[in-house]
Amino acid sequence: MRLPERQLAVLEAASATDERRIDELAATTGLKPETVTGAAFDLRDEGLLVVSETTSEHAELTDEGRRYVADGLPETRLYRAALDAGAGDGPVPMGQVIGAADLAGHEVDVALANFPRKGFGAIDSGELSVDADADPEADPEATALAALAADNDADDADDPTDIDVLDRLASRGLVDLVERTTRAVTLTDAGVDALMEGVEAAETVGQVTPELLASGEWRDAEFTEYNVEADAPEVNGGRKHVLRGTADRVKDVLVGMGFQEMAGPHADSDFWINDCLFMPQDHPARTHWDRFALDVPPMADIPEALLERVEAAHREGVGPDGDGYHSPWSEEFAREIALRGHTTSLSMRYLSGYAGAELEPPQRYFSVEKVYRNDTLDPTHLLEFYQIEGWVMAEDLSVRDLMGTFEEFYRQFGITDIRFKPHYNPYTEPSFELFGEHPETGEEIEIGNSGVFREEVTKPLGVDCDVMAWGLALERLAMLTTGAEDIRDLHGTLADIDFLRNAEVSY
Ligand code: PHE
């Protein structure tokens, strides 16, 4: 039998009784590990070798991790500097210790977050005190980092460290947990027989070189066959994020349906976020529990006439049968600034005419923008997410128009089974929630909220015809189209990188 040289070398280095790993074979044969792998697969295809694969998780230091191995963890440096500054005897000013610890930029935050967590001491009103009994030498995170630095060169070292500590280091960005595939080979009976019968090296050429061409040697050379099935290293390029892709698709669809795009501030006055929507000022969604209030000066430029009409709607209601809320209404509250909890603030700005929209019916507007809510994180809730806001202004709109619009919109994403549930909003009547079925779990998930604006909303804005409107969740749409089951796979620090690399956005 004749085999290319590299295959022969690997065959001779393999054993019938012991598994030999690729790196061992590379060391014995003097070939590159990739070459050994290629040869091993070719020999396997010839039936001369068995190739086994095991995958294991392996921790590698990041640049930041490596820096802390050299300089010490920021919290440990803070601890030492605090001790030196006399914090063992009583609290010392934080600024002074940070300066002495020589912590720069991001390291200050890292130190301040981890110092109390590890029980090194406490931070209170700008002062630092230390627990003199704390022992940074024995800190498992520091020990694990040092151990990883020591055996990073020895590829085969099993990670000695507790998986919780590794997870923590990974979440701090100090190590990357990577999956590794280790391959090993053993001779088959056919392989042993071939070696016993004698195998000759066939000189083969892997690549045409200028020398081969110039000398004409290529004419007689035997070329190595391509193995198009061999594993190649995966290359991941940059790519548009799934959510951004979905948002772009949504914009295309809505523009195709005749909508124009709205834009406006993320931080806005309560007036635009809530008061215009006839949301009573004592509504639970307007308390500090649900809203991210900002400690900035109130909004000065709210159109005076509109402010008066909105206040009157709250106090007295609208129209001859109007009644109002009989609850307190304060202009001061209306001018306060918060992060918008919905993008209906943009709809109010546009419908009022102050954002420059044309208001001769029919009109259609949309936005795909971020909103902020003080919710509890769970698989379907984030503190910030994207809303697909929209409204249609026309004479005599009905619920059928609303349902038809959604059916047409979702159909563009292949979703044809949306369901409607009657709902209550302070600003729409009637109101509907929308549900879609999750393709993986089969669960009905809420995908949006909608309705026809009440007169108490439209009249003060100066709008005389009907306006139907909605807020749909972009992340939920992405969950339906990609099959993601947890919103946190889509964005945020826990996002699933493989999913982001591979998920398809349908166009
Ligand atoms: N603002 C609503 C929400 O955030 C959505 C909505 C907008 C409902 C407009 C009706 C009309 O859930």
Side-chain angles (χ1 to χ4, degrees), residues 24 29 58 75-76 80 85 95 107 139 170 188 211 218 229 260 279 327 353 380 384 406 433 436 439 449:
E24 293 171 332
T29 58
H58 178 89
E75 60 272 23
T76 309
R80 299 231 163 87
E107 295 181 352
D139 173 26
T188 60
E211 290 76 23
W218 63 270
E229 285 168 17
Q260 286 176 272
M279 289 277 285
S327 63
T380 50
E384 47 177 83
F406 293 135
E433 274 182 335
N449 176 13

Side-chain angles (χ1 to χ4, degrees), residues 338-353:
L339 293 179
R340 63 186 179 208
H342 54 198
T343 35
T344 319
S345 53
L346 299 183
S347 298
M348 295 301 103
R349 283 173 169 270
Y350 275 68
L351 279 167
S352 73

Side-chain angles (χ1 to χ4, degrees), residues 135-344:
D135 183 8
E137 300 298 334
D139 173 26
E141 289 170 31
T143 323
L145 280 182
L148 283 170
D151 75 22
N152 251 1
D153 309 323
D155 253 351
D156 56 346
D158 280 328
D159 301 319
T161 315
D162 179 341
I163 195 69
D164 287 344
V165 176
L166 283 183
D167 280 345
R168 166 71 70 177
L169 290 174
S171 74
R172 291 183 66 172
L174 305 186
V175 305
D176 282 331
L177 297 178
V178 288
E179 226 174 53
R180 275 221 186 146
T181 305
T182 314
R183 298 196 175 89
V185 308
T186 359
L187 288 173
T188 60
D189 291 345
V192 175
D193 291 347
L195 282 172
M196 301 234 284
E197 284 159 21
V199 185
E200 264 176 69
E203 283 231 20
T204 58
V205 176
Q207 221 170 11
V208 192
T209 59
E211 290 76 23
L212 281 176
L213 290 175
S215 66
E217 273 178 63
W218 63 270
R219 278 180 227 282
D220 304 317
E222 190 174 326
F223 286 94
T224 317
E225 278 177 31
Y226 277 115
N227 178 357
V228 291
E229 285 168 17
D231 280 1
E234 199 177 318
V235 180
N236 288 300
R239 139 170 230 237
K240 196 184 271 186
H241 193 282
V242 191
L243 264 188
R244 177 53 57 203
T246 310
D248 289 350
R249 169 83 177 120
V250 166
K251 290 184 190 187
D252 280 356
V253 166
L254 289 170
V255 168
M257 288 169 72
F259 284 76
Q260 286 176 272
E261 188 165 4
M262 306 186 281
H266 291 237
D268 209 343
S269 62
D270 255 80
F271 179 76
W272 293 113
I273 306 175
N274 290 308
D275 290 296
C276 284
L277 283 160
F278 199 52
M279 289 277 285
Q281 289 194 338
D282 57 2
H283 190 280
R286 300 189 64 170
T287 63
H288 61 284
W289 297 111
D290 273 354
R291 115 191 216 278
F292 289 115
L294 298 183
D295 190 8
V296 296
M299 183 169 286
D301 58 344
I302 293 177
E304 210 48 56
L306 177 61
L307 188 90
E308 276 166 26
R309 292 198 300 270
V310 168
E311 173 173 2
H314 280 249
R315 290 195 190 281
E316 293 134 34
V318 165
D321 303 325
D323 196 20
Y325 280 124
H326 303 286
S327 63
W329 192 90
S330 111
E331 183 176 326
E332 212 177 304
F333 186 11
R335 290 184 188 273
E336 277 176 24
I337 312 282
L339 293 179
R340 63 186 179 208
H342 54 198
T343 35
T344 319

Side-chain angles (χ1 to χ4, degrees), residues 341-342 344 373 387 389 425 427-428 449-451 453 469-471:
H342 54 198
T344 319
R373 288 191 196 169
Q387 262 187 339
E389 189 80 25
N425 289 315
Y427 38 95
T428 50
N449 176 13
S450 66
F453 281 131
W470 54 85

Side-chain angles (χ1 to χ4, degrees), residues 446-462:
E446 190 202 323
I447 54 176
N449 176 13
S450 66
V452 178
F453 281 131
R454 299 166 67 116
E455 282 211 318
E456 286 86 345
V457 175
T458 50
K459 277 270 145 54
L461 292 171

Side-chain angles (χ1 to χ4, degrees), residues 332-503:
E332 212 177 304
F333 186 11
R335 290 184 188 273
E336 277 176 24
I337 312 282
L339 293 179
R340 63 186 179 208
H342 54 198
T343 35
T344 319
S345 53
L346 299 183
S347 298
M348 295 301 103
R349 283 173 169 270
Y350 275 68
L351 279 167
S352 73
Y354 287 98
E358 274 192 54
L359 293 171
E360 199 48 49
Q363 294 294 335
R364 302 180 187 85
Y365 276 86
F366 81 98
S367 63
V368 185
E369 285 288 343
K370 210 177 249 191
V371 301
Y372 308 84
R373 288 191 196 169
N374 200 358
D375 266 329
T376 306
L377 280 182
D378 70 21
T380 50
H381 291 90
L382 290 171
L383 299 193
E384 47 177 83
F385 57 96
Y386 284 90
Q387 262 187 339
I388 306 168
E389 189 80 25
W391 53 265
V392 175
M393 168 203 275
E395 305 291 349
D396 298 325
L397 287 171
S398 74
V399 164
R400 294 172 64 100
D401 295 301
L402 197 59
M403 290 179 165
T405 305
F406 293 135
E407 269 165 7
E408 180 174 349
F409 173 74
Y410 282 105
R411 195 160 43 77
Q412 316 267 349
F413 295 88
I415 300 167
T416 50
D417 54 357
I418 49 167
R419 304 225 263 173
F420 300 91
K421 189 173 108 183
H423 183 57
Y424 170 77
N425 289 315
Y427 38 95
T428 50
E429 180 60 36
S431 312
F432 290 94
E433 274 182 335
L434 278 73
F435 290 81
E437 189 180 309
H438 193 282
E440 302 294 330
T441 64
E443 237 175 293
E444 292 272 319
I445 61 172
E446 190 202 323
I447 54 176
N449 176 13
S450 66
V452 178
F453 281 131
R454 299 166 67 116
E455 282 211 318
E456 286 86 345
V457 175
T458 50
K459 277 270 145 54
L461 292 171
V463 172
D464 276 328
C465 57
D466 289 338
V467 180
M468 63 186 201
W470 54 85
L472 314 175
L474 179 70
E475 284 80 352
R476 304 282 175 88
L477 171 61
M479 286 167 83
L480 295 189
T481 54
T482 62
E485 285 172 37
D486 191 320
I487 205 163
R488 293 166 295 189
D489 288 342
L490 290 175
H491 61 154
T493 49
L494 302 174
D496 176 345
I497 191 85
D498 282 332
F499 173 76
L500 295 183
R501 280 184 177 139
N502 300 314

